[in-house]
Amino acid sequence: MNIINPATEEVIRILQEDDKVTLNKKYELLKAGQLQWSKKNLTERLAVIHRFYDLLGAEQEVLAGILTSEVGKPLQQSRNEINGAKTRIQWMMNNAEKYLSDEWVTDTEELKEKISYDALGVVCNISAWNYPYLVGVNVFIPALIAGNTVMYKPSEYATLTGLEIEKLLKKAGLPDAAFQIAVGGKLVGEELLDMDFDGYFFTGSYQTGKYIYEKVALKMVPCQLELGGKDPLYVADDVNDVAAVAGGTADGAFYNNGQSCCAVERIYVHEKVYEEYVTAFLKEVQSWKKGLPTEEGVYIGALTRKEQLEVLEGQVADAVAKGASLLTGGKRGAGEGYNFEPTVLSNVTNDMKVMQEESFGPIIGIMKVKDDNEAIAMMQDTTYGLTAAVYSRGSDRAERILSQIDSGSGYWNCCDRVSAGLPWSGRKHSGIGSTLSHQGLRAFTKPKGWHMRG
Ligand code: NAD
């Protein structure tokens, strides 16, 4: 498997992919080791995770460089990602005991009742490339804390990072039999679906997620899916500072080159502030430094996947053919690498691809709406349901709107953010189940109800 640097198009490593034989060996190791790992007490398991947390900090610069070299995100954003992963791990470590310990429900002379949270067993994590540390730790950290052993398949576009994660976990004292990495792409993923894991945790596209859900259904084990989005954002007419809102929301749309599951993908603006918003938004987008992701100060680096360039070109052509105005960008960037110019389209309508299909790139459509009701109708007009954002002076107005949007997260005066203490979950085509929060800790367990008469 060739690992390509998307900013230079050079092959930077060649890796041996796993096959059926090597995957089975790894699976057997994890199966044999699961009881031993789950029998360790929580404090011992947490001590390993704590050392991993420390190592992420100590090795941050090297890890950030490796991440940037294979996914193309600006170096500072790689550093931010590792810091963000540490914040999540910290929350999980702080809250594990509270949410994974036995819970007493009834405690009388005649009857005692409790819930215990047992590990699922050997779980499989098939993961995405856009935030390999963040989406990875959402799964393998709580899974390990809860006493599972884990087969982790990083995306084929983020395998070097996956190998670093494995190295650091082992350095932190995690037994070989508790964590194994599956190296490869789609075919290796397919092999994993044919094996007997006790749970499947997937992060990736709707198309792959649906396929995996159907295959795993026959096994009668948990299957959790964190999928894509087409996340809408509405700017109401009562915002305090239109230019500041435009700047902040442009970042929500273009951070990581728009390759975030919760990136702002559609913007609706009240007609009273539309012109001012679009002007300020454009100014912000045109101020960004583009270039090699290793150069300090660069905000727009390379896209991770070459194929996406064609998807973005298709969305621009479709929008322009249907009457949209191309305000900036719209084409591939110059020079080596998978570069696409930050692209802003106005006068868009919801029947355009750019407003319906996940773009996963540096492109945004901005549409004028006449009032909140039109905004709600437009925001709801999607098969996805990951996040939705409203910018408005009043929380009442924002809550009234957000409560009518079928999404797993609602944002008032913020966007493109994830919090370790809140459930991260998609609705409709954005997924099933939750990671993060107490729900995300318990997702890797099976509850047992204890009925005890003394
Ligand atoms: P993808 O679906 O192409 O691949 C995801 C993983 O599935 C990879 O490891 C891949 O090798 C594997 N895979 C592909 N085909 C498979 C098959 N037939 N059987 C088994 N495994 C298979 O997605 P991607 O391009 O890696 O990630 C981008 C997508 O992920 C976007 O849609 C994004 O929105 C979504 N995402 C969602 C979240 C979230 O938390 N909701 C987070 C990050 C990314």
Side-chain angles (χ1 to χ4, degrees), residues 120-416:
L120 292 172
V122 188
V123 302
C124 176
N125 176 201
I126 300 180
S127 203
W129 49 264
N130 59 330
Y131 287 101
Y133 283 101
L134 295 177
V135 297
V137 306
N138 282 3
V139 174
F140 62 72
I141 295 293
L144 289 169
I145 290 176
N148 301 278
T149 56
V150 179
M151 178 78 90
Y152 170 56
K153 193 194 97 53
S155 162
E156 54 273 43
Y157 295 101
T159 308
L160 298 182
T161 293
L163 291 167
E164 290 302 313
I165 286 171
E166 183 189 34
K167 202 159 79 188
L168 292 192
L169 281 169
K170 301 291 164 69
K171 201 168 163 186
L174 189 68
D176 265 356
F179 189 87
Q180 288 290 313
I181 180 165
V183 175
K186 178 178 171 175
L187 294 180
V188 166
E190 291 271 3
E191 291 290 351
L192 295 172
L193 301 181
D194 286 338
M195 297 164 74
D196 280 331
F197 288 97
D198 300 303
Y200 285 82
F201 294 82
F202 172 76
T203 309
S205 62
Y206 162 70
Q207 288 75 10
T208 313
K210 181 170 182 283
Y211 172 79
I212 289 178
Y213 197 54
E214 284 168 4
K215 282 210 84 167
V216 171
L218 301 176
K219 298 177 192 285
M220 299 278 286
V221 296
C223 181
Q224 190 161 295
L225 309 169
E226 299 201 333
L227 310 178
K230 191 70 196 168
D231 298 359
L233 179 144
Y234 171 49
V235 182
D237 55 339
D238 63 351
V239 288
N240 283 326
D241 181 344
V242 176
V245 170
T249 53
D251 182 54
F254 288 88
Y255 188 81
N256 198 24
N257 239 331
Q259 301 168 119
S260 309
C261 52
C262 54
V264 176
E265 288 246 345
R266 301 177 283 147
I267 299 179
Y268 302 100
V269 185
H270 195 286
E271 59 186 9
K272 284 192 192 149
V273 291
Y274 179 80
E275 296 302 335
E276 190 184 348
Y277 177 86
V278 172
T279 306
F281 191 96
L282 201 57
K283 191 167 160 216
E284 175 72 14
V285 170
Q286 289 172 335
S287 74
W288 290 328
K289 184 172 171 188
K290 297 173 269 182
L292 276 179
T294 42
E295 246 177 67
E296 292 298 341
V298 162
Y299 180 76
I300 297 284
L303 287 173
T304 307
R305 294 167 309 164
K306 194 176 185 176
E307 314 84 89
Q308 204 62 13
L309 295 169
E310 222 168 286
V311 172
L312 298 174
E313 282 171 338
Q315 292 196 349
V316 172
D318 172 75
V320 171
K322 289 176 181 157
S325 310
L326 177 61
L327 302 182
T328 189
K331 57 181 194 306
R332 296 178 192 222
E336 300 285 276
Y338 311 147
N339 302 311
F340 201 84
E341 293 189 358
T343 298
V344 180
L345 294 150
S346 65
N347 292 323
V348 293
T349 50
N350 256 19
D351 64 339
M352 296 174 183
K353 286 183 185 169
V354 72
M355 300 300 271
Q356 287 297 331
E357 296 174 7
E358 191 178 38
S359 304
F360 230 58
I363 176 171
I364 193 77
I366 308 179
M367 179 175 163
K368 189 193 290 182
V369 291
K370 65 177 185 308
D371 56 23
D372 294 359
N373 287 341
E374 188 183 3
I376 293 166
M378 292 298 125
M379 290 165 93
Q380 270 286 66
D381 177 24
T382 174
T383 56
Y384 288 107
L386 193 57
T387 81
V390 172
Y391 281 68
S392 163
R393 195 177 305 157
S395 70
D396 286 358
R397 183 172 177 182
E399 276 189 51
R400 188 183 65 78
I401 297 169
L402 290 169
S403 63
Q404 294 176 68
I405 309 295
D406 198 11
S407 63
S409 295
Y411 301 125
W412 173 45
N413 289 345
C414 58
C415 58
D416 189 29

Side-chain angles (χ1 to χ4, degrees), residues 66-86:
I66 293 170
L67 177 57
T68 287
S69 75
E70 64 180 338
V71 302
K73 72 174 71 188
L75 203 48
Q76 187 52 45
Q77 297 187 14
S78 291
R79 295 182 189 119
N80 296 348
E81 181 178 342
I82 295 164
N83 281 336
K86 285 180 64 194

